């Protein structure tokens, strides 16, 4: 098991569109475990492979307080989303320290493969629905700040670039 470096916005690798997972081997199982370890260590509730510079359609999620409900979604597709939408305050491990409102569907149904390649369908609402939509955006090369106004996005970019520069100095 290993902690993986998390890419930080505005790293251009975060804009890559992830490719479908086609091989379910030991390498994939190790990657899944490393992603969970990284997510828990960073105190996150979701992590997309794109955020750790793997460009495959893989997401790990655990919205439970005790970290005892790990969820693996491989090649996820939203097959239904509720017409009801709400503005939710979101944060992101790739945009540290920044939180802002993003409008998302209240509920979704997702078809995906699990870690063994078995097909499953999951219905989610509340925090889990928001988390799934947020992480699936990463697989499409989209970071939540792209939902914000250009002014807010540029302020966030400037702040994070400055923080990254100071961290390297």
């Amino acid at each position: 098991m290993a902690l993986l470096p998390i890419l930080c916005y505005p790293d251009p690798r975060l804009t890559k569109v992830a490719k479908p997972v086609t091989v379910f081997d030991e390498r994939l199982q190790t990657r899944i475990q490393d992603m969970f370890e990284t997510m828990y260590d960073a105190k996150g509730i979701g992590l997309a492979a794109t955020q750790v510079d793997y460009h495959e359609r893989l997401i790990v999620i655990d919205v439970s307080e005790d970290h005892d409900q790990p969820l693996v979604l491989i090649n996820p597709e939203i097959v239904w989303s509720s017409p009801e939408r709400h503005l939710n305050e979101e944060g992101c491990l790739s945009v540290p320290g920044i939180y802002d409102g993003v409008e998302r569907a209240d509920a979704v149904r997702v078809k995906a493969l699990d870690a063994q390649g078995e097909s499953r369908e999951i219905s989610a609402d509340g925090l889990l629905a928001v988390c799934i939509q947020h992480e699936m955006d990463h697989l499409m090369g989209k970071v939540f700040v792209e939902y914000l106004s250009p002014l807010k996005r540029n302020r966030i970019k400037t702040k994070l670039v400055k923080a990254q520069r100071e961290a390297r100095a």
Side-chain angles (χ1 to χ4, degrees):
M1 303 261 253
L3 289 178
L4 306 169
I6 298 172
L7 300 178
C8 283
Y9 181 80
D11 192 307
R13 293 172 289 181
L14 288 169
T15 64
K16 284 187 178 179
V17 176
K19 304 265 189 272
V21 172
T22 57
V23 178
F24 291 77
D25 58 4
E26 190 59 40
R27 179 193 63 84
L28 178 66
Q29 301 309 313
T30 300
R31 182 162 294 167
I32 290 167
Q33 292 310 310
D34 290 348
M35 285 177 62
F36 271 117
E37 185 176 342
T38 301
M39 179 187 75
Y40 291 138
D41 182 72
K43 312 234 180 317
I45 60 171
L47 186 67
T50 302
Q51 294 176 270
V52 290
D53 206 17
Y54 296 140
H55 301 283
E56 295 178 321
R57 295 186 57 76
L58 166 62
I59 295 169
V60 298
I61 293 175
D62 190 341
V63 297
S64 69
E65 287 189 27
D66 297 327
H67 298 154
D68 61 355
Q69 296 173 23
L71 177 63
V72 175
L73 299 175
I74 298 173
N75 302 335
E77 295 174 54
I78 294 177
V79 295
W80 174 84
S81 58
S82 68
E84 299 81 23
R85 301 175 66 80
H86 277 93
L87 194 65
N88 303 284
E89 181 144 302
E90 293 187 23
C92 180
L93 296 176
S94 290
V95 190
I98 305 294
Y99 300 87
D100 213 317
V102 177
E103 187 176 282
R104 305 250 187 218
D106 286 352
V108 294
R109 193 165 35 253
V110 180
K111 184 177 175 186
L113 302 175
D114 65 14
Q116 286 69 47
E118 297 295 320
S119 184
R120 61 189 304 180
E121 199 165 287
I122 297 164
S123 293
D125 59 9
L127 181 59
L128 181 57
V130 169
C131 188
I132 288 170
Q133 292 170 82
H134 176 108
E135 299 307 332
M136 286 184 66
D137 276 353
H138 279 298
L139 299 181
M140 297 308 297
K142 190 169 187 174
V143 179
F144 89 95
V145 296
E146 292 176 45
Y147 288 103
L148 308 178
S149 72
L151 178 63
K152 277 187 178 181
R153 195 167 47 247
N154 284 333
R155 283 185 178 157
I156 291 167
K157 184 177 183 178
T158 300
K159 181 179 180 177
L160 292 176
V161 166
K162 181 180 177 189
Q164 291 166 19
R165 206 174 321 137
E166 289 172 356
R168 286 192 293 261

